[in-house]
Amino acid sequence: MEVVGFDPEVEGHLYKKASAALCSGVPGQVMCDLMVKGPQPGDVSYESHEAEKRAIFESLKRRAKIVEVGLNSIPGFSCQPAQGAMYVFPKVTMPEGAIKAAKEQNVAVDTMYAVSLLEHTGICVVPASGFGQEEGRYGFRTTFLPPETEMERAVGLFRKHHEEFCARYGEGATHERFGAANYGD
């Protein structure tokens, strides 16, 4: 919302009212409070709640490790361990042909890579160029929230895609505008 030409005090009240609309109502706040606090020791559901919480946390740690180790096993990938967030941010070495093709198309090379990955594997990532990277640093952000078996499968798809992408844009390769119509599976 933008307010122009109003008294500053009135403008302040209007913005406050608009901001209040972004907050949840009382029932939503109560439910959120219950979710965050959880059952207390001695409550009937305390032990099962703690066991479920531990199982989820341990599974997230395993999934993070699957992705980190799996991506690091792909030539041209470098992935640091996840530290507190539920995503990883691998650095990807791009073939010179891909960098050149991206420049010709006026698109960031990691955006071109991300679109190709989505079109050919169904995996959606966020290009690193959207995060203000150093010149020459390419990659993407991806999550490790899917189930463990899906994470293992995803690592295989990342590998297959990267190999095909590098073959397409590597030294001596010819390429056309990126996209499903031009990229061989």
Side-chain angles (χ1 to χ4, degrees), residues 1 3 6-19:
M1 171 189 347
V3 179
F6 280 77
D7 179 271
E9 188 175 344
V10 173
E11 182 179 324
H13 288 295
L14 289 172
Y15 281 126
K16 189 185 301 182
K17 178 160 177 49
S19 295

Side-chain angles (χ1 to χ4, degrees), residues 95-111:
E96 285 301 318
I99 295 168
K100 182 181 177 207
K103 283 181 182 172
E104 290 170 359
Q105 297 168 46
N106 198 29
V107 65
V109 70
D110 49 10
T111 298

Side-chain angles (χ1 to χ4, degrees), residues 27-106:
Q29 292 181 26
V30 169
M31 295 308 291
C32 190
D33 184 62
L34 291 173
M35 285 186 336
V36 172
K37 286 185 180 173
Q40 301 301 305
D43 290 350
V44 176
S45 60
Y46 178 76
E47 293 300 322
S48 64
H49 179 266
E50 289 300 304
E52 184 176 343
K53 193 166 72 173
R54 273 191 308 278
I56 291 168
F57 181 68
E58 292 303 317
S59 177
L60 285 169
K61 287 187 347 188
R62 286 190 303 271
R63 287 181 259 176
K65 198 65 170 172
I66 289 167
V67 174
E68 174 202 340
V69 170
L71 293 181
N72 278 328
S73 74
I74 301 171
F77 272 61
S78 175
C79 185
Q80 299 299 311
Q83 296 183 2
M86 289 183 269
Y87 56 84
V88 292
F89 209 109
K91 178 180 178 182
V92 180
T93 303
M94 297 290 178
E96 285 301 318
I99 295 168
K100 182 181 177 207
K103 283 181 182 172
E104 290 170 359
Q105 297 168 46
N106 198 29

